[in-house]
Amino acid sequence: MLDSIAKGDTQLPDFQRGWVWDDLHIRSLIASLSLSYPIGAVMFLEAGGVPFKPRLFEGVTLQPAPKPKKLVLDGQQRLTSMYLSLRSGLAVKTRTEKGADIHRVYFLDMAKCLDINEDREDAVISVPETLQVTSDFGRKIDLDLSTHELQYQQRMFPVSLMFNTEGFMQWKMGYAAFHQNVADAMMFLMRFEQEIWLSFQQFKVPAIELSQDTPREAVCQVFEKVNTGGVTLTVFELMTATFAANEFNLREDWDAREQRLTAKHDVLTAVDGTGFLTAVTLLASYERHLATKSAVSCKRADVLRLELADFKKLESRIEAGFKKAAELLAEEKIFDARSLPYATQMIPLAAICAFLADKISQHGVKQKLLRWYWCGVFGELYGGANETRFGMDLPEVVQWVEGGSEPRTVRDSSFAPIRLLSLQSRLAAAYKGLAALLMKHGGKDFISGTPIDLNTYFNNAIDIHHIFPRVWCENNKLPREKWNSVVNKAPLAAGTNRFISGDAPSIYLSRIQKNKQVSQEHLDEFLNSHLIPVTELRGDDFDSFIRLRASFLLGLIENATGKAISGRDSEETVKAFGAALG
């Protein structure tokens, strides 16, 4: 197997993914081989079927590269580790557990290998390419294996000679000469050869080989379901290899496109290559549906069947769709990936924008699209596997715009009043959604009175902060589920939050008026812009504040989604807030 890799008969599909195993994994693998422990099966695909572009294994340099006979579907990390450490004769370029790049050469401590009381992993020695292990910033040499004589003396066998027959024989003769053919030393060497070296020679790796007529979808499923390399291969990487067979470099295309998308729209950093391909697939599927009445779908299997011709036909429209989506969200005061409720919802939003194109600028169309968007956010409908919903969204929103019935996402959306209390952090989409709606409502900074736009959002480090300060709430032993909820929070500049400190609202509001030259009338206006009940805040009346503001926030959600929120006077709501939220 290792010889086949060296000759280029066995290669890898080119997923633009490098070898990723670290030093610890390699040492553990060598230890398992030395003990004849199973290391799992590997899977091959006969070349000539699925049109993957091949590439040589790490450490193999053949010019020109020959056509492969087999491609490795599962086992790249193990095979690469074995080839580099046991067969290549090169120092292995790997990394530490913390990710630092290193070059390593591996030895077996022969005495520890033959001692049943020793942990075999401790017998696998990893040293720098200098073959010296040092400490005290290189001033002290702790282990020196830089000459064969030092290796013979310390009984350290270089594993790079394991499959180098000539090199192994020379090393054995050198070892024997160094130890003057003393009987004990020769017996020790014989035991090592029979118990350890022979284990490597006789080691068998179970292999599964798929014929070249295996369909692409089946091959790709292997990567998704069977890959045991410890790193999941994405749809994007699989499509990179597929398109590469037609001399199209998807990775380079995406890298350039990603720069264009994110240059002006920070929110689009939430979109990855797989998301872009999914949006292209969704639009391609919908356009086929319009012509043939086929189902609209953008599941993984659909993306894996995306043809390069369809990608090239639609990629510029989808790129424009993502940019238009980002512009729409900026109007809704969603400026960056951190404040984006759902990255997944960007996929159908971009596809809808791409299909509707200039119609998006029409007021009525935009209002329907935003209603759909906010229903998805506050219905919390995009947190799991969403491809089925994407397939509904595009045709149903387009039909709605053209006078049809409401999309299922709008109909499915609902928001329970008590959900406000469990919105405690940015982990929740509805939490980020409410922050954006408050900014869109015209929320002004308590001190400057400046409304939030793209510039002030980034320049003033706008974030979501407590209105009744955390310290004051804790000192007054107020329930955390209330004071730490979104009901007690507002988007404010970082400097304003520091100025508020941990004081009661009545104190910090007076301090703002006195020290920052803000009149009571203007400060009340600023507070109202955040839907803050002013009288209750100035009176430090926490319970009344929470009930009133919760009611105001529910009204904000209703306005965004176009749907009435039921349950305001339910027993559950009364129990949670102490009264109905009329």
Side-chain angles (χ1 to χ4, degrees), residues 389-443:
R389 185 168 295 279
F390 298 166
M392 298 186 302
D393 283 332
L394 177 54
E396 291 180 0
V397 171
V398 170
Q399 289 165 17
W400 189 30
V401 164
E402 294 173 349
S405 58
E406 288 182 341
R408 269 172 280 189
T409 292
V410 174
R411 299 199 302 270
D412 292 347
S413 178
S414 65
F415 189 87
I418 63 167
R419 176 65 174 130
L420 289 173
L421 294 181
S422 59
L423 296 176
Q424 300 268 326
S425 74
R426 285 183 177 275
L427 295 176
Y431 180 97
K432 292 187 275 191
L434 267 171
L437 289 183
L438 284 167
M439 289 188 281
K440 184 186 177 187
H441 184 262

Side-chain angles (χ1 to χ4, degrees), residues 423-471:
L423 296 176
Q424 300 268 326
S425 74
R426 285 183 177 275
L427 295 176
Y431 180 97
K432 292 187 275 191
L434 267 171
L437 289 183
L438 284 167
M439 289 188 281
K440 184 186 177 187
H441 184 262
K444 298 179 179 179
D445 188 73
F446 292 0
I447 292 175
S448 68
T450 304
I452 299 166
D453 60 17
L454 183 60
N455 289 327
T456 57
Y457 178 83
F458 289 105
N459 293 340
N460 298 334
I462 302 297
D463 206 345
I464 306 168
H465 297 292
H466 294 94
I467 301 168
F468 277 80
R470 173 177 184 158
V471 172

Side-chain angles (χ1 to χ4, degrees), residues 4-14 17-19 53-68 71 76 80 83:
S4 175
I5 291 171
K7 291 186 291 185
D9 289 343
T10 298
Q11 296 185 33
L12 297 162
D14 189 358
R17 151 98 22 112
W19 175 62
K53 183 178 181 179
R55 67 176 170 86
L56 296 167
F57 271 73
E58 186 94 9
V60 180
T61 53
L62 298 172
Q63 294 296 334
K67 286 188 176 181
L71 296 175
Q76 174 193 351
T80 304
Y83 174 75

Side-chain angles (χ1 to χ4, degrees), residues 5 38 42 47 206 244 259 303 350 380 436 457 464 471 496 513 523 577:
I5 291 171
V42 296
Q259 286 188 345
V303 180
E380 298 183 283
Y457 178 83
I464 306 168
V471 172
T496 299
Q513 290 173 204
L523 184 51
F577 288 95

Side-chain angles (χ1 to χ4, degrees), residues 54 109 140 153 271 401 484:
D109 185 320
K140 180 183 177 184
Q153 179 187 351
V271 179
V401 164
N484 196 48

Side-chain angles (χ1 to χ4, degrees), residues 187-323:
M187 183 62 68
F188 177 85
L189 179 60
M190 184 182 301
R191 277 191 62 205
F192 178 80
E193 185 172 358
Q194 291 178 346
E195 295 179 29
I196 308 300
W197 180 84
L198 201 57
S199 295
F200 284 86
Q201 311 309 310
Q202 296 178 341
F203 196 96
K204 295 188 183 301
V205 180
I208 302 164
E209 185 168 331
L210 304 180
S211 63
Q212 64 178 240
D213 59 358
T214 304
R216 180 193 303 179
E217 192 173 335
V219 172
C220 291
Q221 191 173 34
V222 167
F223 287 108
E224 295 179 298
K225 307 297 183 186
V226 187
N227 187 272
T228 58
V231 180
T232 302
L233 291 164
T234 67
V235 168
F236 180 82
E237 289 165 320
L238 296 171
M239 293 306 293
T240 296
T242 300
F243 285 176
N246 292 314
E247 303 304 320
F248 182 82
N249 192 317
L250 182 62
R251 170 65 61 185
E252 288 184 3
D253 177 84
W254 170 246
D255 287 346
R257 192 184 311 278
E258 187 178 32
Q259 286 188 345
R260 294 195 300 270
L261 286 171
T262 58
K264 294 183 179 179
H265 305 291
D266 188 84
V267 72
L268 294 180
T269 59
V271 179
D272 61 9
T274 298
F276 188 85
L277 286 174
T278 304
V280 172
T281 303
L282 177 58
L283 183 56
S285 178
Y286 181 54
E287 295 201 333
R288 276 196 302 274
H289 162 80
L290 294 176
T292 66
K293 301 304 178 185
S294 58
V296 179
S297 180
C298 61
K299 295 181 178 179
R300 281 191 168 199
D302 302 301
V303 180
L304 292 170
R305 288 194 293 267
L306 179 66
E307 296 293 334
L308 180 58
D310 285 334
F311 176 83
K312 289 182 174 181
K313 175 184 173 184
L314 298 175
E315 46 89 12
S316 60
R317 287 172 61 191
I318 288 294
E319 181 175 336
F322 273 108
K323 289 179 179 177

